[in-house]
Amino acid sequence: MSTSPAVAWAAADPYAAALRTGRGPLFLRRSDGWLLPLEVERWCARADPVDRAVLDRCEGAVLDVGCGPGRLVAELAARGRPVLGIDVSEAAVDHTGRLGGPALRRSVFEPLPGEGRWGTVLLMDGNVGIGGDPAALLARVARLLCPGGLLIAETAGVDVDERSEVQVVDSADGRTGGGAFPWARVGTPALLRYARGWDRAGRWTAGGRRFVALRSRGAGSGTGTGSEPPNRTAVISGQRRRKPPATGPVA
């Protein structure tokens, strides 16, 4: 019987060690031995131009699911945007806080602040694979967003639709890692197939990375005055636990 995804990922000592040092190597290893390299150095760096262009598209209050070491949360916080990162890894949440970004140690499938009132949800760096069931993840994100809210997801660089059990390992022989957990690799065509009940809001490639924007269906637009104030209220409570918000949209 496999370990729950949140417990297995959080207990993956190689992941915590990589975040502390800011470098790999680090891999997701399938049961058949296939390895997916993880881009630790990029994740631990500041937001790059491709990241910043994605963040320019965000609307309202932003929830970064699987925020990792927090480069996107920190960038949005520096812009004065209402934002919260969530991650099951204590090391990731701590790193995000050191960058000045608000974050909670929480799984996306657990109760979260501001449910149904987020303007944008981010699933970056392959996080569309969380839980190994893209359809279930999309359904959960739809419940987190306000009516007409925006999901921005980074998809795999190839046309793939794959579910597997994986471990986080820090060597090519895969001898070091935590428990196994379900994960998915999803390309753009596959994600669009799973996105029943969503409206397509864009797809693009930048810096060799691929992205899809989807809009939840509902009466709101995701940017109107009817949904944004509750978003701000929900995020402020999370921010105050780590850093008082700067003057600007949050205040």
Side-chain angles (χ1 to χ4, degrees), residues 14 21-22 29 31 34 42 56 76 78 80 91 121 123 126 133 142 144 151 158 174 184 190-191 195 225 227 241 245:
T21 62
R29 181 184 184 272
S31 57
W34 184 86
R42 181 171 65 80
D56 289 343
L76 286 168
V121 170
L123 289 172
D133 187 341
L144 294 171
L151 165 63
V158 294
L191 181 61
T225 57
S227 62
R241 281 192 288 271

Side-chain angles (χ1 to χ4, degrees), residues 105-128:
R105 188 179 182 187
R106 201 77 59 86
S107 164
V108 66
F109 296 107
E110 296 176 6
L112 294 171
E115 295 205 13
R117 300 196 299 273
W118 293 97
T120 304
V121 170
L122 297 175
L123 289 172
M124 297 281 280
D125 303 323
N127 285 331
V128 71

Side-chain angles (χ1 to χ4, degrees), residues 169-187:
V169 298
D170 61 6
S171 60
D173 57 22
R175 290 180 298 180
T176 305
F181 55 94
W183 194 257
R185 291 179 67 226
V186 182

Side-chain angles (χ1 to χ4, degrees), residues 5-25:
V7 171
W9 183 273
D13 290 339
Y15 180 66
L19 294 194
R20 285 193 294 269
T21 62
R23 59 182 183 271

Side-chain angles (χ1 to χ4, degrees), residues 52-59 120 150 152 201-204 213:
R52 293 194 294 271
V54 169
L55 300 184
D56 289 343
R57 296 172 178 256
C58 291
E59 303 170 354
T120 304
L150 189 67
I152 301 178
R203 53 188 290 185
W204 67 98

Side-chain angles (χ1 to χ4, degrees), residues 36 125-126 128 153-161 184-189 191 205 208-212:
L36 175 67
D125 303 323
V128 71
E154 182 172 355
T155 58
V158 294
D159 185 3
V160 63
D161 185 1
R185 291 179 67 226
V186 182
T188 295
L191 181 61
T205 300
R209 297 160 63 189
R210 299 184 181 185
F211 303 92
V212 172

